[in-house]
């Protein structure tokens, strides 16, 4: 099985703690430090929750608007609900046994994914397991509207996200999906734009989402954590320099320069599900996105349409982590999987 993994984002973890207090005078001088009781750290103050409107106020003057609607959980029109799925996780930071527990599978279900198309990053392994019953997590629909752009296909897009997310968290996650889908994932770039043959680079022009680098930087900083947005921004670029792929640079006069690229999609993709968001000890929200796929080697698959229906058998799994900052939830970990 081969999948296209795009726009992988860095995971940001917030840690809080305090220094251990000095031993009291009653403690014998000969008592080894290791035998003293562990001090209980004071809890870190909880960040203030931010409303959707307060969060949007931190964005550039041209900022997306969001429309929220209740919706029923459903797969694509020609897709039947699967009874079980085989899960594929290309970057798992724990052990297979910990994955069994995380996904509610019997011990020994997950094993190393030997024929993984992906090369796991340092500190992770690729794993897979059969027999997973897909979750029926309630969802809501969030429509991201960007009405000032010139091309109609970039003006709005609707996404389903877990219903448990509040409006600001749901808006941030939907905005992340919009930007990655339209400008930094299956496609990288901002249109309309001009092309410079000498540097193989494009410069955003009026009619695109943002034409000033500072505004793009401000928008991404409101949607993603600094670590995640930093992986999309390259900073100042000399006039005669060529951009690196998958980065947006600051050109002369606060313009946005970049290389244009397209990664494409996967015809076997047939829907997306989520697990329930859960609050983590560090205060972040974590849930899993399941990208459903048909078996690429199934000879019965002859394409979509023509009144045919298919049942997905595989799910490509990626984590979604949101971190609450002083100015709202930010997407710390997410990547497209189509």
């Amino acid at each position: 099985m081969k999948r296209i993994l795009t726009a992988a984002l860095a995971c940001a973890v917030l840690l809080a703690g305090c220094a251990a207090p000095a031993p009291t005078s009653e403690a014998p001088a000969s008592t080894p430090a290791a035998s003293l009781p562990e001090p209980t750290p004071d809890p870190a103050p909880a960040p203030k929750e931010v409303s959707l409107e307060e969060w949007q106020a931190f964005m550039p003057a041209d900022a997306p608007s969001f429309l929220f609607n209740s919706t029923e959980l459903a797969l694509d029109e020609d897709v039947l609900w699967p009874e079980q799925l085989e899960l594929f996780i290309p970057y798992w930071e724990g052990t297979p046994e910990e994955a069994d527990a995380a996904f509610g599978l019997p011990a020994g279900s997950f094993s190393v994914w030997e024929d993984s198309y992906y090369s796991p990053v340092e500190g992770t392994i690729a794993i897979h397991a059969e027999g997973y019953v897909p979750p029926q997590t309630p969802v809501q629909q969030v429509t991201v509207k960007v009405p000032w752009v010139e091309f109609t296909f970039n003006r709005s897009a609707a996404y389903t996200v877990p219903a448990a997310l509040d409006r600001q968290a749901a808006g941030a996650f939907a905005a992340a999906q919009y930007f990655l889908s339209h400008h930094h994932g299956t496609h990288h770039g901002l249109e309309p734009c001009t092309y410079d043959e000498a540097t193989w680079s494009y410069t955003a022009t009026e009619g695109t989402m943002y034409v000033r680098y500072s505004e793009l930087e401000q928008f991404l900083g409101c949607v993603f954590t600094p670590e995640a947005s930093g992986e999309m921004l390259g900073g100042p670029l000399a006039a005669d320099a060529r951009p690196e792929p998958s980065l947006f640079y600051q050109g002369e006069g606060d313009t946005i320069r970049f290389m244009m690229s397209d990664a494409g999609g996967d015809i076997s993709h047939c829907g997306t599900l989520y697990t329930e968001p859960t609050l983590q000890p560090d205060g972040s929200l974590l849930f899993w996105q399941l990208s459903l796929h048909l078996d690429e080697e199934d000879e019965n698959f002859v394409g979509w349409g023509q009144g045919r229906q298919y049942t997905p058998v595989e799910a490509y799994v990626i984590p979604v982590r949101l971190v609450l900052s002083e100015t709202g939830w930010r997407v710390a970990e997410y990547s497209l999987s189509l």
Side-chain angles (χ1 to χ4, degrees), residues 67-154:
L67 178 64
F68 300 86
N69 294 106
S70 58
T71 188
E72 296 295 325
L73 177 66
L75 299 178
D76 294 348
E77 182 179 358
D78 298 328
V79 179
L80 300 174
W81 188 269
E83 293 185 3
Q84 292 186 341
L85 294 165
E86 182 176 8
L87 300 183
F88 293 90
I89 308 179
Y91 309 113
W92 178 256
E93 294 184 353
T95 65
E97 292 75 19
E98 290 172 330
D100 294 334
F103 288 89
L105 290 172
S109 296
F110 272 100
S111 60
V112 175
W113 181 9
E114 297 288 358
D115 60 347
S116 170
Y117 176 67
Y118 307 102
S119 299
V121 297
E122 184 177 355
T124 70
I125 57 175
I127 58 176
H128 71 118
E130 297 181 355
Y132 179 73
V133 178
Q136 299 191 31
T137 304
V139 294
Q140 59 181 311
Q141 185 180 74
V142 183
T143 302
V144 182
K145 296 186 175 183
V146 193
W148 66 88
V149 301
E150 178 177 326
F151 297 142
T152 56
F153 58 83
N154 282 337

Side-chain angles (χ1 to χ4, degrees), residues 9 21 27 98 126 164 190 301 316:
L9 305 184
E98 290 172 330
L190 295 162
F301 178 63
Y316 180 89

Side-chain angles (χ1 to χ4, degrees), residues 50-53 55-56 59 64-68 140-145 157 159-162 165-179 219 222-224 322 328-331:
V50 178
S51 70
L52 177 72
E53 293 72 22
W55 170 64
Q56 288 178 287
M59 287 193 177
S65 61
F66 301 89
L67 178 64
F68 300 86
Q140 59 181 311
Q141 185 180 74
V142 183
T143 302
V144 182
K145 296 186 175 183
Y159 304 94
T160 56
V161 306
L165 297 179
D166 66 32
R167 285 162 57 91
Q168 192 274 313
F173 183 34
Q177 293 189 68
Y178 170 85
F179 189 78
F219 167 76
C222 287
V223 175
F224 299 95
L322 277 64
W329 289 101
R330 300 290 191 271
V331 177

Side-chain angles (χ1 to χ4, degrees), residues 13 19 66 69 88 93 110 116 122-123 132 188-189 225 239 244 250 266 281 291 297 309 315 324 330 336:
V13 180
F66 301 89
N69 294 106
F88 293 90
E93 294 184 353
F110 272 100
S116 170
E122 184 177 355
Y132 179 73
H188 177 76
T225 60
E244 293 292 330
Q250 184 177 34
D266 190 330
S291 182
E297 298 179 359
Q309 291 184 308
L324 185 58
R330 300 290 191 271
L336 293 180

